[in-house]
Amino acid sequence: MKKEVAALKRLRELGEDLADRLELPEEALLGAAKLTLTANRRALIENHCGIEEYGPEEIRVRLKRGGIVLRGSDLRLEAMNREELLICGKLQSVEWE
């Protein structure tokens, strides 16, 4: 089991190194999450794995590696597809887990 975990970690590191060498964004090559904030009103999350919790003051989004917690007021999901989430409202904080 430990050998498989080490191999997966090494494979991920190789992918990250390849992205750096080719000067490609990590999200394009590895499917890493990308968060784009517009002022404190909109958050676009790319490469998500779904919503874990949803409420007007807190939204938790699952990612391939961890998650993102958005806190604020009047938060709402404006649009969602397999790759992207658009959250609007008054954002007060963003936390990576």
Side-chain angles (χ1 to χ4, degrees), residues 20-92:
D20 285 342
R21 288 179 186 219
L22 295 175
E23 297 180 6
L24 293 171
E26 204 174 303
E27 66 272 8
L29 188 61
L30 303 175
K34 179 179 178 182
L35 172 64
T36 305
L37 297 173
T38 305
N40 66 337
R41 294 289 178 184
R42 294 169 54 127
L44 175 65
I45 302 170
E46 298 176 57
N47 298 321
H48 69 89
C49 294
I51 295 176
E52 290 183 338
E53 288 182 35
Y54 181 84
E57 295 178 353
E58 182 176 287
I59 297 176
R60 290 182 178 270
V61 179
R62 201 170 352 138
L63 306 173
K64 287 182 182 178
R65 294 188 213 160
I68 297 176
V69 181
L70 298 115
R71 292 187 179 92
S73 58
D74 300 320
L75 299 180
R76 63 193 178 284
L77 181 63
E78 285 290 314
M80 178 179 174
N81 62 30
R82 293 178 115 177
E83 290 100 24
E84 301 173 331
L85 288 172
L86 178 60
I87 297 169
C88 296
K90 187 174 181 186
L91 296 166
Q92 294 171 342

